[in-house]
Amino acid sequence: MPRCSRCGNTQIRQEALFCDLCGTRLLASPLPGPTAGSQPSLPVVPAGRTPSRPPLSRTGAPPSRPPSGPRTTWRELELQGEIPDELNIEGVRWVKVDELEPRNRESEVAHGWTISETRQIFQERGAKSYPDGVEASCRGYLVKGGITRFTIKNLAPGAPVAMVRQAWAEGREQGEVYVGEYTAGTFAHQDLDLNRPMRNRIHLIPRSIVTGNELTVEQEDLGSENGLYYFGLKFFQPGDVVDALSSAVARAAATGNIAAGDAAPVKVIASGTTMSWESIKRLGRGLPDKMKLGGKEWELVDWMSFDDKQSPEDHTFAVYDAENYYTQKVKGTYPDGESVEDAGIRWDTGYAEWTVGDTFGARDLAIIVRLDVRELPGPVEVLCDERSAGLLQVEGRDPVNRWRNWSHIVPAKLVSENGVRIRFALPEGSTGMNMFRLWFYQTR
């Protein structure tokens, strides 16, 4: 029986050329990569400085990265309360490519979430523990009978998909998974744990039926004792395949095969719209001058763009003690599908400072910064007039939809009248920071 030399999978069809779990070619030759001579151009670097970046391979694909974090198995992952965005499954690196939050209207709409032909649907919520003691706050559905349908996005075609579904082990679960006209396998879970019932139910979709960057999946309940629980779904693919796809998309944009993000007028959200910090994070359209968040009204008091040389000068922007600092221009998309091209900076040590003008004293100040999360920035210490304003910790690496608008709130007690000096400082051992357009809002 064939056996994958990388992940040890033995459930392989005799005629198969690739492993359905990790995508490894079963012959000695490696997976085909992009063609040579298509590397993206290097970023503009200030004179006298040389960025220390890992070299590209001869094919132009990014070099393979070993998995990070403790080595585990899919079975062990079912019992763990902490699920990082990168997994080390038997020495294979898997990265999160998408996530669906049941009972989050925005997430459900974006993923085409529907439940049909069901006998009963219950809205469930509560805080319960995993076997390792980690407590999870749950919000979702219990579906008895019928079919749950959703679309997974941001996929690398030709790579397997691991679906991780949060559930309660409070009765037998069994069902079948379909992708279009294909059956993607059955599942059955027998464990019952009324003390620590949280589980991560894992189902692997073979690479052979992942033919595009989106996949509509149907999950049918076939006689589960209580039904199927849905408290959250995360989707993972092998990291090397995802990185190769991201590199190919970036090269296509650099050579003009993808339309520039500023080819059309920028769409702006209407002033006064009710928003959430999560929706702002994923929003590619321009932010309004006024908006409602968390029951408060927020007003734009200032903004800064690196696409306009005058803007950083007006804010007395500077980077200090940086050994690796350079400017860059990036084309990419947001999770809402909007394509944007923007100029920004990256630095690996030291700190950046700038002044926010026209502030109101003793009011919360929201800093919203456009970030490239293809590679996650490290933690950033935020200071306001040299006083600590907390830690900015970016989560959720996304090599396909690279843009996010990340928010950080400076408490009202630190904000003075008519301007403050903000500092983003990288602690020792940081992996670096990138920064593009910034918006500054205050409560009214």
Side-chain angles (χ1 to χ4, degrees), residues 82-95:
E82 298 291 342
I83 305 179
D85 290 344
E86 288 199 10
L87 304 174
N88 180 351
I89 304 296
E90 295 291 347
V92 178
R93 182 170 64 95
W94 291 72
V95 300

Side-chain angles (χ1 to χ4, degrees), residues 142 165 167-174 187-194 197 199 201 221 223-229:
L142 171 59
R165 172 176 59 92
W168 289 343
E170 296 188 342
R172 184 188 70 253
E173 285 189 338
Q174 63 184 55
F187 60 90
H189 307 287
Q190 305 292 338
D191 47 331
L192 175 64
D193 188 344
L194 301 181
R199 294 294 188 274
R201 302 305 193 192
D221 177 23
S224 300
E225 186 173 346
N226 292 323
L228 297 181
Y229 289 97

